[in-house]
Structures are given as structure tokens and as C-alpha cells.
Amino acid sequence: MPRFAANLSMMFNEHPFLDRFDAAAKAGFTAVEFLFPYEHKPEEVAQRLERNGLKQVLFNLPPGDWNAGEKGFAARPEKFDDLRQSLHTALPYAEATGVRRLHMMAGIADRHDPKAVDAFKKSIEWAADFVGDHGIDIVIEPINGRDVPGYFLNDFMFARDIITELGIPNVGLQFDIYHCQILHGDVTMRLREMMPMIGHIQIAGVPSRNEPAGEELNYPFLFAELDRLGYDNYVGCEYRPAGDTVAGLGWFKPYAGVKV
Ligand SMILES: O=C(O)C(=O)[C@@H](O)CO
Ligand SMILES: [Mg+2]
């Protein structure tokens, strides 16, 4: 049975960020993920995890000026110093929370520009080497162009090929089923093919990005497929609740309280 991590950037927005940990645990989650913890001290985040018995399964490296449209640096050759700095900023949070996976965003760049491709590979190599001694993996995530126009990594097969080419043990694919369905469809076959390189999975309803229930995708089938494929990490609930977070957790009831 899959284990689910609440995404605290999207869920439990009824509460201030640090109080979302308490709300997630109360609702039956045993793990959390979020985009960015950087407005809070590492020890504050760690304390919320500890007092709720929660596991931190993922967060993102600092992406630059998010509100100005920056979405990471990895494929931007002129931003390599920022990329390195983002790893130095994230590391104390990784150490405090015990997280084992960091999402490195590629940024806004042209996937067909060889300079961007080279920069992306160089960033992956540098980041994986930097966190490798700490037992941490780097994951990269294809994102659909409707949500993030111009995003460099907008193709699952391209991501697969880069991961294969580099062959770095602590680099994996962040397989967000929501993005896969929008970009390509054929989700089950792509999960089957890419499972050996998948480091993290996320879910949301398509097309709404609300609860993973009742729209274009048959999530109960996909959850059973993850079991058949032996996926044994957490599944991140990266969706925007349509209304009150807890009121929308009907889909989660059979899975509440399950730990890895
Ligand atoms: O948008 C997504 O999907 C994510 O997983 C984020 O980490 C990046 O915006
Ligand atoms: Mg995602």
C-alpha cells in the first residue's frame, strides 16, 4: 500500500507554514514534503517534524526569485555560482530534517540550446557530488509548460536520457504523475519503464491539480500499480485542495497512518 507525504506548500494552507506539520500529523500523515523551508530556521522545521513524529521526504533547492519568475538555475550557464550557493543554503536544512532527496530545479531555458543542456549536466554532476557524502540524492523533475511556461525540463524521455547518460548513482527522476499526464499521457507504461530511476513520485488530479480523485486519472489503479512495481518510497501529495484540506481527504482514508 503506498505511503503518502503531505505537501505542506499546497496542503493545509488554512494554517501558517510551521503549524501545517501539526495539522498533517493530526490528519494521519506520517511524512511531509514542501517546496521551500528557507523563511524559517532549520531547527524550527526540525522541531515540528520531531514533535509530530513526521518524516521529511523531499524539498527543493532555493530557486532564485520565484515571484519574478525564476524557477531554479541548473540549466542556466550564467547562474552556476547561484546553483552552488543554493546547495550550501539547502544543506543545513537537509541535515536538520534528515531529508534524503533534494529537488534541483532546472530553470527557464531552451531545452534545444546545447549550452543549456551542458549547464544542466554540469549542475547535476556538481550537486550530486556535493550532497553524495551526506547520503543525499538529487532528483530532477519534468514540469509541464502550462504550469511553468518556458521550463527547461519539459519532457520525461529527455530527463530519462540525461539520467541514463550521466549514470550517477545518487541522481534520480522525480516522477510527478500530474505533469506526466499533461505532457505525454500513457502514465502506467512510463512508470513501468522508468521505475528503476524514480527517486520520488508526486500526485494531483488532472486537469485541476486538486485532490487525486475523480478526474482524468484512475488513481486507485495507479496506486495498485506502484505496489506491483515495488515502489517503496513515499508519494508526495502535491495538490491544491479544492476547499478545506481535511474535508477533501476522503481519498486518503484507507492509507492514513501508513509508514515506510
Ligand atoms: O511543480 C512541481 O510539480 C514541483 O514538484 C515543484 O517542486 C516545482 O515547482
Ligand atoms: Mg511536482
Side-chain angles (χ1 to χ4, degrees):
M1 185 180 283
R3 275 85 27 167
F4 294 93
N7 185 301
L8 300 185
S9 300
M10 292 205 179
M11 300 174 76
F12 300 104
N13 273 225
E14 297 86 356
H15 309 281
F17 180 71
L18 288 175
D19 293 343
R20 293 176 201 165
F21 293 80
D22 311 326
K26 197 169 160 209
F29 285 95
T30 56
V32 296
E33 61 172 39
F34 42 70
L35 268 66
F36 312 114
Y38 306 108
E39 285 178 9
H40 304 276
K41 293 190 179 136
E43 52 277 19
E44 287 177 317
V45 178
Q47 196 228 345
R48 293 298 176 133
L49 289 167
E50 198 178 327
R51 88 175 187 198
N52 288 296
L54 288 166
K55 182 170 175 163
Q56 181 76 45
V57 297
L58 179 89
F59 60 85
N60 291 9
L61 299 179
D65 188 346
W66 186 265
N67 293 328
E70 278 196 299
K71 300 285 180 257
F73 311 112
R76 299 175 62 195
E78 78 287 5
K79 290 279 188 176
F80 189 59
D81 286 348
D82 297 271
L83 185 277
R84 284 195 299 206
Q85 182 53 48
S86 77
L87 267 302
H88 284 284
T89 303
L91 191 57
Y93 289 88
E95 286 177 330
T97 61
V99 79
R100 289 281 164 265
R101 264 168 226 94
L102 294 172
H103 174 204
M104 182 174 72
M105 295 191 73
I108 306 300
D110 181 358
R111 179 162 68 79
H112 303 287
D113 175 357
K115 289 201 182 86
V117 176
D118 286 349
F120 191 52
K121 291 179 190 169
K122 179 177 160 186
S123 298
I124 293 173
E125 284 168 341
W126 195 91
D129 187 50
F130 182 83
V131 298
D133 289 346
H134 301 273
I136 295 170
D137 294 350
I138 293 292
V139 285
I140 58 170
E141 178 193 44
I143 293 180
N144 81 78
R146 190 162 70 227
D147 282 69
V148 184
Y151 194 67
F152 171 83
L153 196 59
N154 60 2
D155 186 300
F156 276 68
M157 278 56 77
F158 181 66
R160 172 202 63 193
D161 291 348
I162 286 191
I163 291 170
T164 304
E165 180 192 326
L166 294 178
I168 301 171
N170 65 324
V171 173
L173 179 65
Q174 181 169 319
F175 193 115
D176 189 326
I177 290 177
Y178 165 81
H179 292 305
C180 184
Q181 172 67 0
I182 293 171
L183 281 166
H184 311 293
D186 208 10
V187 169
T188 304
M189 295 307 285
R190 296 181 205 281
L191 281 170
R192 287 179 187 168
E193 185 209 334
M194 296 180 197
M195 186 52 69
M197 64 173 60
I198 293 178
H200 188 60
I201 290 179
Q202 292 174 321
I203 54 168
V206 180
S208 65
R209 213 174 195 181
N210 296 148
E211 280 79 358
E215 292 187 277
E216 199 171 301
L217 287 168
N218 180 354
Y219 268 112
F221 173 85
L222 290 170
F223 296 155
E225 183 67 20
L226 295 183
D227 284 344
R228 286 189 286 274
L229 293 172
Y231 179 72
D232 61 0
N233 288 324
Y234 279 87
V235 174
C237 302
E238 195 180 31
Y239 68 81
R240 291 188 199 90
D244 177 76
T245 302
V246 173
L249 283 176
W251 70 271
F252 172 65
K253 285 216 166 72
Y255 311 103
V258 181
K259 288 191 181 196
V260 165

